[in-house]
Amino acid sequence: QPKETLSQSLSAAQLHLVPIDPRVCGCLMPSKLYGALASGTPVLAVAPDDCELAELVEEMEVGAVCPPCEPAQLAITIQRLAAEPERLAAWGARAREIAERFFDRSYCTAVFQRELEYVLNGQMAAADGDQAETQQSGETSSLESAAT
């Protein structure tokens, strides 16, 4: 699909289904989440409650969560949400706000840069500390040698 029409197709839905395999939910976040948020469409996450995806959806109030491997519960949740257009509209508006605030490329790049600098500075400080410790222990042994 051409990139120019992607926003139209993403925003055509009233609700995006964002599933994640419970075996990998500690390792990744489904990329389709970000497109759904950016399009201002609420999400129905099919994920374990303790998964980052489920936590984000609930804490940021951008949709609902349904447990994996429970198709009957999924159907009930979809039917319930279809009858609540005001709630879906509110979640959709919030989804767009969250996308702009926390998942904008320039924001994420700046956060990544800060984190990378923090890690690199921490490693440099640790390396400087190791070097100073080595120098101090070398000085101590030199002093001990001179005293004997």
Side-chain angles (χ1 to χ4, degrees):
Q1 170 172 341
K3 190 174 181 178
E4 299 80 35
T5 61
L6 184 60
S7 65
Q8 292 171 344
S9 64
L10 287 174
S11 61
Q14 293 177 329
L15 183 69
H16 278 272
L17 189 65
V18 182
I20 188 166
D21 187 322
R23 296 171 295 182
V24 299
C25 67
C27 304
L28 57 91
M29 183 72 82
S31 61
K32 70 187 314 179
L33 170 69
Y34 306 108
L37 296 176
S39 71
T41 308
V43 300
L44 176 53
V46 179
D49 285 336
D50 61 347
C51 175
E52 186 177 1
L53 171 62
E55 292 169 0
L56 183 145
V57 168
E58 289 179 336
E59 289 173 16
M60 298 290 186
E61 299 177 0
V62 295
V65 177
C66 189
C69 305
E70 295 190 26
Q73 181 63 40
L74 179 61
I76 290 168
T77 303
I78 292 170
Q79 287 175 336
R80 179 178 55 84
L81 293 175
E84 299 181 33
E86 296 85 17
R87 178 181 283 191
L88 291 176
W91 281 343
R94 179 86 174 133
R96 178 64 187 180
E97 177 187 326
I98 294 300
E100 290 175 350
R101 186 170 178 194
F102 297 109
F103 301 117
D104 175 74
R105 184 179 303 219
S106 60
Y107 174 82
C108 290
T109 302
V111 169
F112 183 74
Q113 179 181 352
R114 281 195 306 271
E115 292 296 321
L116 188 57
E117 287 171 352
Y118 175 79
V119 169
L120 292 176
N121 289 335
Q123 288 179 350
M124 293 168 118
D128 291 345
D130 290 345
Q131 187 176 26
E133 189 176 302
T134 303
Q135 289 174 348
Q136 287 176 347
S137 67
E139 290 171 3
T140 303
S141 20
S142 298
L143 292 173
E144 288 171 356
S145 300
T148 55

